[in-house]
Amino acid sequence: MTRASDKVLKGDQCAPQRSLFYALGLTKEELERPLIAVVSAYSEIVPGHAHLDKVTEAVKAGIRLAGGTPIVVPAIGVCDGIAMGHIGMKYSLASRELIADSVETMVMAHAFDGMVLVPNCDKIVPGMFMGALRVNLPALIVSGGAMLPGNYHGKAMSLSTMFEAVGAKKAGMIDEAELTYIEQNACPGCGSCSGMFTANSMNCLSEAIGMALPGNGTIPAVYSERIQLAKHAGMKIMELVEKDIRPRDIVNEKAIHNALACDMALGCSSNSVLHLLAIAHEAKVTLDLHKINEISERTPNLCKLAPAGSDHIIDLYHAGGVGAVLKELAKKQLIDPTVMTVSGKTMAENIETAKNLNHDIIKDIEQPNSKTGGIAVLFGNLAEEGCVVKRSAVAEKMLTHTGTARVFDSEEAANEAIYGGKIQKGDVVVIRYEGPKGGPGMREMLNPTSALAGMKLDEDVALITDGRFSGATRGAAIGHVSPEAAAGGLIALVEEGDQIAIDIPKGTICLLVDEETISKRKAQWVKPEPNVKDGWLHRYQRMVTSGSKGAVLE
């Protein structure tokens, strides 16, 4: 059998390359085995990644057990929570492309035979996923697992509690001592933040799409079962290499639709839309926002995990995990169970023994939280190419809302108004020039949404942006407005005092201004100068596509 590594290991012409492998301390015997890249995002700056050195070592042990030679290569990762609310967040989504590029670079440059991807947090999971699809060598994902929830006077809490506490403090609802208590107890240790935020959404969807072994989405970071899963992943990659099963053999249209159905049932982060669009792009599968809406319309929401409810990933784990959710969906043929997965088994075989152990956490398919999925895509004159909202985290009274536009050209300006008490019940906060090009980098805006939630305004105020909202966001927070303001989208022409109508059940969002007025505003609009003029973000700004296309690079 010809291996990719033969290009650097076989024949007299490869003697120089072999000498460099020997310089690494590898032996002749190790070079006779398949070379497996273990792409690790371990670092000491991301809580979700602080323990990935141990997960990586477990993967290496599994590879050796199955007769391979593991070699660790690095990947970067941004902690969204630390990057939140300042220029750092401009780098977060953009880093996804760097990660995909680095996977491609390291694997192709060094002629690996396969790879195990070890990410955990927000952009790192989809970035590695995209790189694996692009390279299309045998690969699988094993993530670091979820953080345990913190304890708030006997109740579970997460990072979203922390952000909302800032708004509560600003509004005088809690004091300094209470803020400090939450600050010191919200995040008790390693792992991806404990709710169904973007990191855990993508870890669950990696399992649902078939690129991770069962349990990847929900086994907590600190459980020994996570280390066992990593060892099994190391062993499994050797089977994938031997059988020459590649990512694009697994990630096809049916698998992506399975992931979307699971997304809707779980109530995943709205960012999952961006990432699944980008993953589909790398898999050469056609996917658009209309298809996402179609799947959402027919898929019931079964879980209310934080921030939509009080349950956390550990609760989903004990209730049966992603497998139990998929099994509920299979009861009504809402997933295709015939698809192949990296386990070497079909999805049907993977979920055969899965059980829903807690019908309060995973609702029965006949008695869902709602008949439609956790995410909705809205269209209208304000978002001709679409925008996205986490419907499952929106209060019933805000599913339809018409309000007065309060317009801000940056997140910072909106935060100042919110913290200053200038936003009133019924308002629609519009934050623009934060899109993929306008930001650049399409910043997540957890600060303004959390401030409103902390001030108890999340059931009375809507937010609309061409940027993004964190997976920890709750309320009528509508992001990814496309076309974005920097591209001349209608959101650039909204003025203070305009009326905006939102109807999430009907999937519409409209600026209630007549066409003549809009035409006059458009004639007067001047495209702003880029706010970043050097560094790689400037290159990103020139090359990035619309949020409606997954913000991939052209």
Side-chain angles (χ1 to χ4, degrees):
M1 176 183 173
T2 301
R3 297 175 182 162
S5 59
D6 288 351
K7 294 190 288 288
V8 294
L9 293 176
K10 297 294 184 182
D12 292 346
Q13 72 276 11
C14 290
Q17 285 97 327
R18 289 196 297 271
S19 72
L20 292 169
F21 281 106
Y22 289 135
L24 293 169
L26 295 173
T27 65
K28 181 175 182 295
E29 291 79 6
E30 286 175 301
L31 297 185
E32 290 172 349
R33 299 175 175 188
L35 299 185
I36 307 299
V38 182
V39 187
S40 175
Y42 166 71
S43 76
E44 294 183 343
I45 189 60
V46 185
H49 293 185
H51 65 304
L52 291 188
D53 55 338
K54 297 175 179 61
V55 177
T56 299
E57 285 301 318
V59 171
K60 290 169 64 181
I63 292 169
R64 289 195 183 101
L65 281 169
T69 298
I71 300 176
V72 176
V73 297
I76 64 167
V78 171
C79 177
D80 280 12
I82 295 174
M84 198 73 65
H86 60 97
I87 192 172
M89 183 46 72
K90 293 179 185 289
Y91 288 88
S92 177
L93 180 62
S95 73
R96 187 188 69 182
E97 313 309 310
L98 287 183
I99 293 162
D101 291 348
S102 69
V103 169
E104 176 188 359
T105 299
M106 295 301 285
V107 171
M108 296 303 289
H110 302 107
F112 284 104
D113 296 306
M115 62 190 120
V116 178
L117 309 170
V118 189
N120 206 26
C121 289
D122 201 331
K123 310 307 171 305
I124 300 87
V125 179
M128 286 193 187
F129 203 143
M130 291 162 64
L133 284 164
R134 193 182 300 167
V135 172
N136 202 33
L137 286 171
L140 58 75
I141 296 168
V142 58
S143 303
M147 183 185 294
L148 297 179
N151 187 286
Y152 183 54
H153 303 308
K155 294 183 179 180
M157 67 173 170
S158 65
L159 185 65
S160 61
T161 313
M162 179 69 256
F163 273 91
E164 291 178 15
V166 176
K169 171 68 164 53
K170 293 280 187 182
M173 296 177 180
I174 63 172
D175 59 17
E176 187 72 30
E178 189 73 356
L179 183 68
T180 300
Y181 175 87
I182 298 170
E183 174 185 326
Q184 294 176 349
N185 291 277
C187 301
C190 67
S192 49
C193 296
S194 57
M196 187 53 80
F197 312 147
T198 308
N200 289 320
S201 294
M202 295 312 300
N203 287 332
C204 289
L205 297 183
S206 296
E207 184 179 335
I209 210 169
M211 278 294 290
L213 296 176
N216 183 73
T218 57
I219 298 170
V222 296
Y223 280 22
S224 63
E225 191 180 353
R226 177 61 58 175
I227 298 299
Q228 293 164 3
L229 181 74
K231 289 178 181 177
H232 285 298
M235 289 184 270
K236 188 58 66 174
I237 188 61
M238 300 310 300
E239 181 181 326
L240 297 176
V241 169
E242 181 182 349
K243 294 180 179 178
D244 196 29
I245 297 173
R246 301 172 181 242
R248 287 189 220 160
D249 297 328
I250 292 169
V251 184
N252 53 31
E253 185 176 43
K254 291 178 180 178
I256 289 173
H257 289 183
N258 282 352
L260 281 165
C262 187
D263 189 330
M264 301 308 163
L266 287 171
C268 289
S269 163
S270 58
N271 285 315
S272 63
V273 171
L274 276 177
H275 299 323
L276 287 173
L277 286 167
I279 286 166
H281 174 76
E282 296 291 354
K284 316 299 183 187
V285 172
T286 300
L287 180 67
D288 60 26
L289 293 177
H290 294 283
K291 173 56 69 174
I292 292 172
N293 237 8
E294 179 186 316
I295 292 172
S296 179
E297 284 301 311
R298 67 171 184 252
T299 309
N301 175 244
L302 304 180
C303 301
K304 285 277 190 182
L305 301 166
S310 58
D311 300 324
H312 294 77
I313 297 299
I314 190 171
D315 301 307
L316 178 61
Y317 165 76
H318 287 302
V322 173
V325 175
L326 291 170
K327 196 162 188 177
E328 288 291 341
L329 294 174
K331 290 177 181 177
K332 290 210 166 185
Q333 295 78 50
L334 292 169
I335 61 167
D336 187 327
T338 67
V339 296
M340 184 53 63
T341 72
V342 291
S343 71
K345 301 176 181 178
T346 64
M347 185 63 72
E349 291 173 301
N350 282 351
I351 65 175
E352 185 177 0
T353 59
K355 293 180 180 179
N356 185 349
L357 301 173
N358 189 326
H359 290 264
D360 290 327
I361 293 168
I362 304 173
K363 297 294 186 183
D364 187 271
I365 195 72
E366 300 291 349
Q367 296 179 307
N369 292 312
S370 63
K371 293 182 179 180
T372 53
I375 289 175
V377 180
L378 315 182
F379 294 92
N381 67 348
L382 194 53
E384 292 180 350
E385 296 174 8
C387 56
V388 180
V389 61
K390 187 169 180 173
R391 171 166 43 191
S392 60
V394 179
E396 186 74 24
K397 63 184 285 191
M398 288 298 289
L399 290 172
T400 57
H401 178 75
T402 299
T404 302
R406 306 296 310 279
V407 183
F408 305 95
D409 287 347
S410 70
E411 177 191 1
E412 288 82 359
N415 285 338
E416 185 178 349
I418 294 168
Y419 289 140
K422 296 178 181 178
I423 303 301
Q424 307 300 316
K425 289 184 177 182
D427 286 346
V428 177
V429 175
V430 178
I431 308 174
R432 62 192 180 192
Y433 297 108
E434 290 284 6
K437 289 183 181 292
M442 207 177 185
R443 285 195 288 182
E444 283 186 349
M445 283 169 273
L446 184 54
N447 283 336
T449 58
S450 296
L452 290 172
M455 294 173 175
K456 308 301 182 187
L457 289 172
D458 57 298
E459 295 190 8
D460 297 286
V461 173
L463 290 94
I464 298 173
T465 183
D466 51 8
R468 303 180 294 127
F469 292 112
S470 165
T473 293
R474 60 188 173 98
I478 301 165
H480 313 187
V481 169
S482 301
E484 63 174 291
L490 187 60
I491 191 172
L493 308 181
V494 179
E495 293 187 358
E496 191 85 5
D498 286 348
Q499 293 295 296
I500 294 175
I502 300 161
D503 193 325
I504 294 173
K506 291 184 178 179
T508 61
I509 182 167
C510 294
L511 176 67
L512 303 181
V513 173
D514 63 84
E515 285 299 323
E516 183 179 351
T517 301
I518 289 172
S519 295
K520 288 179 181 177
R521 291 180 187 177
K522 191 169 186 177
Q524 296 170 353
W525 179 72
V526 178
K527 185 177 181 178
E529 285 288 312
N531 56 25
V532 173
K533 297 185 178 181
D534 52 22
W536 73 269
L537 275 181
H538 186 49
R539 296 196 303 273
Y540 177 86
Q541 189 172 47
R542 296 197 308 270
M543 299 169 67
V544 70
T545 60
S546 162
S548 63
K549 296 180 179 179
V552 297
L553 299 184
E554 293 179 321

